[in-house]
């Protein structure tokens, strides 16, 4: 059997790890199943905190298979971990995450997967739900195994009206802020006026100041502190005047569960005043979103993204 194939059958990716879990704990959890050749917890290169996922490579493919069947779905603290085969990185599998909007509010996650299943293997999917009502927001994300499968789904389902619905759905590639060329996707999504922002753009290193205790360079108008009971509130500054809630959903949705989004508008013109808020359920996912989106260029503007503090604007 080819070695490459062997590697892919012994190497696992473990997602949704608790923030406090160490690399040694990750190793010992998986060693309970069989001989582990290596275990690596992925940490932020600058701040050093866990990014909530890691890789475990077993000596024997049969142990890796058993680890998936016994440990996938295991609850650790408040997390349910996901264990699956790690796929070798290649262009074939990059950018296979889709953003779907205009879905019927009654559509469940299994029904969503049924609608997309014929185009290829679905890695994961998520329907965004309104926390207050428990109802679908009509927006979802689906990640396919391969980019070509996702392209197929876009080709066949974008503009398609699902059975029992009167509205067509929109299916497009989700924003992936780590791809430079994605700025084109973002500028297609919304064209901002070429008005320069004259205030300070925060130094690159500040994007790594995640702790809500230490981040005080961005007041968000008072009120909810970073870790409110409803989730982690993120402040986004330097949005263009045409920014709307949809663009915030599309930017932050791929990182994890978003509770709500809000663009602050001018009372008279209804144009965005340059800032907005996003609330995310999970600290690690919120920190990851900040890490990826702070300093991100949207249209002709460079965004400043940080945890909201409880202080108001000075």
């Amino acid at each position: 059997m080819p070695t490459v194939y062997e590697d892919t059958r012994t190497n696992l990716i473990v997602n949704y790890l608790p923030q406090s879990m160490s690399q040694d704990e990750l190793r010992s959890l998986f060693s309970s199943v069989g001989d582990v050749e290596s275990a690596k917890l992925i940490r932020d290169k600058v701040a050093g905190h866990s990014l909530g996922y890691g890789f475990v490579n077993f000596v024997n493919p049969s142990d890796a298979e058993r680890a998936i069947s016994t440990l996938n779905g295991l609850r650790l603290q408040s997390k349910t971990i996901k264990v699956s085969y790690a796929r070798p990185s290649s262009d074939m599998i990059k950018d296979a995450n889709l953003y779907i909007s205009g879905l019927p509010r009654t559509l469940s996650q299994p029904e969503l997967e049924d609608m997309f299943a014929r185009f290829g293997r679905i890695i994961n999917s998520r329907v965004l739900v309104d926390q207050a009502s428990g109802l679908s927001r009509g927006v979802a994300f689906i990640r396919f195994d391969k980019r070509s499968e996702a392209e197929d789904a876009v080709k066949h389902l974008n503009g398609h009206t699902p059975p029992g619905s009167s509205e067509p759905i929109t299916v497009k590639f989700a924003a992936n802020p780590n791809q430079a060329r994605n700025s084109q996707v973002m500028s297609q999504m919304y064209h901002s006026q070429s008005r320069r922002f004259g205030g300070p753009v925060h130094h690159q290193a500040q994007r790594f100041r995640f702790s809500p205790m230490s981040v005080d360079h961005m007041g968000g108008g008072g009120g909810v502190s970073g870790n409110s009971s409803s989730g982690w509130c993120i402040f986004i500054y330097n949005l263009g005047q045409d920014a709307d809630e949809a663009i915030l959903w599309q930017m932050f949705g791929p990182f994890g569960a978003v509770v709500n989004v809000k663009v602050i508008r001018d009372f008279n013109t209804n144009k965005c005043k340059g800032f907005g808020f996003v609330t995310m359920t999970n600290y690690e996912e919120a920190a990851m979103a900040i890490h990826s989106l702070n300093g991100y260029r949207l249209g002709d503007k460079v965004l400043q993204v940080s945890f909201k503090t409880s202080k108001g604007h000075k």
Side-chain angles (χ1 to χ4, degrees), residues 10-303:
T10 56
N11 198 16
L12 304 180
I13 183 168
V14 189
N15 281 301
Y16 309 116
L17 291 167
Q19 181 74 17
S20 59
M21 191 170 195
S22 69
Q23 187 165 291
D24 286 346
E25 287 168 334
L26 175 67
R27 188 187 190 102
S28 63
L29 173 66
F30 281 80
S31 296
S32 64
V33 175
D35 288 343
V36 170
E37 189 177 274
S38 63
K40 184 168 178 55
L41 181 68
I42 307 303
R43 293 185 175 279
D44 183 273
K45 287 189 176 71
V46 176
H49 63 269
S50 163
L51 293 180
Y53 72 100
F55 295 92
V56 175
N57 197 12
F58 278 93
V59 175
N60 301 309
S62 58
D63 289 336
E65 194 179 347
R66 196 161 66 252
I68 292 175
S69 59
T70 56
L71 297 176
N72 183 40
L74 178 75
R75 279 195 68 80
L76 289 176
Q77 294 168 31
S78 61
K79 298 286 204 172
T80 302
I81 68 169
K82 182 176 180 190
V83 184
S84 50
Y85 287 113
R87 296 170 302 146
S89 181
S90 77
D91 287 340
M92 203 173 69
I93 64 170
K94 277 183 192 152
D95 301 331
N97 195 22
L98 297 181
Y99 170 86
I100 305 112
S101 59
L103 290 164
R105 302 294 166 125
T106 52
L107 193 84
S108 66
Q109 191 176 344
E111 287 168 336
L112 173 76
E113 292 204 358
D114 283 349
M115 194 192 300
F116 282 80
R118 64 193 164 105
F119 300 105
R121 178 165 165 254
I122 294 169
I123 300 295
N124 55 40
S125 70
R126 195 157 48 81
V127 173
L128 300 186
V129 172
D130 183 289
Q131 297 291 102
S133 66
L135 298 172
S136 159
R137 289 181 178 269
V139 174
F141 291 93
I142 282 194
R143 185 181 297 282
F144 278 96
D145 188 36
K146 295 186 181 71
R147 166 91 186 181
S148 57
E149 296 168 344
E151 281 169 350
D152 238 12
V154 171
K155 195 165 73 181
H156 289 91
L157 289 182
N158 185 36
H160 162 79
T161 304
S165 172
S166 54
E167 298 294 315
I169 61 172
T170 299
V171 182
K172 55 188 176 182
F173 283 95
N176 175 359
N178 299 321
Q179 302 284 318
R181 65 178 185 71
N182 208 62
S183 58
Q184 297 164 7
V185 179
M186 283 302 204
S187 22
Q188 284 161 19
M189 274 167 28
Y190 108 94
H191 303 281
S192 62
Q193 306 298 314
S194 34
R195 184 172 60 81
R196 297 295 300 162
F197 164 66
V201 170
H202 286 289
H203 186 267
Q204 192 83 342
Q206 283 190 300
R207 71 171 59 190
F208 302 111
R209 289 170 57 187
F210 289 138
S211 162
M213 302 304 286
S214 69
V215 176
D216 60 359
H217 57 277
M218 284 286 207
V224 196
S225 65
N227 56 343
S228 74
S229 56
S230 60
W232 297 86
C233 191
I234 299 167
F235 181 64
I236 303 100
Y237 187 64
N238 206 21
L239 289 164
Q241 60 175 359
D242 294 328
D244 59 9
E245 277 77 8
I247 202 161
L248 293 181
W249 276 116
Q250 180 140 13
M251 285 168 63
F252 285 82
F255 292 98
V258 173
V259 182
N260 57 47
V261 299
K262 186 169 179 58
V263 166
I264 306 303
R265 291 185 164 83
D266 182 280
F267 184 72
N268 297 314
T269 64
N270 207 32
K271 295 281 190 188
C272 172
K273 287 174 78 171
F275 60 98
F277 300 98
V278 170
T279 306
M280 296 184 73
T281 314
N282 179 280
Y283 173 79
E284 295 96 299
E285 291 169 349
M288 192 63 194
I290 289 171
H291 172 61
S292 301
L293 293 173
N294 186 41
Y296 181 69
R297 183 174 288 281
L298 180 57
D300 66 341
K301 298 190 170 299
V302 175
L303 299 184

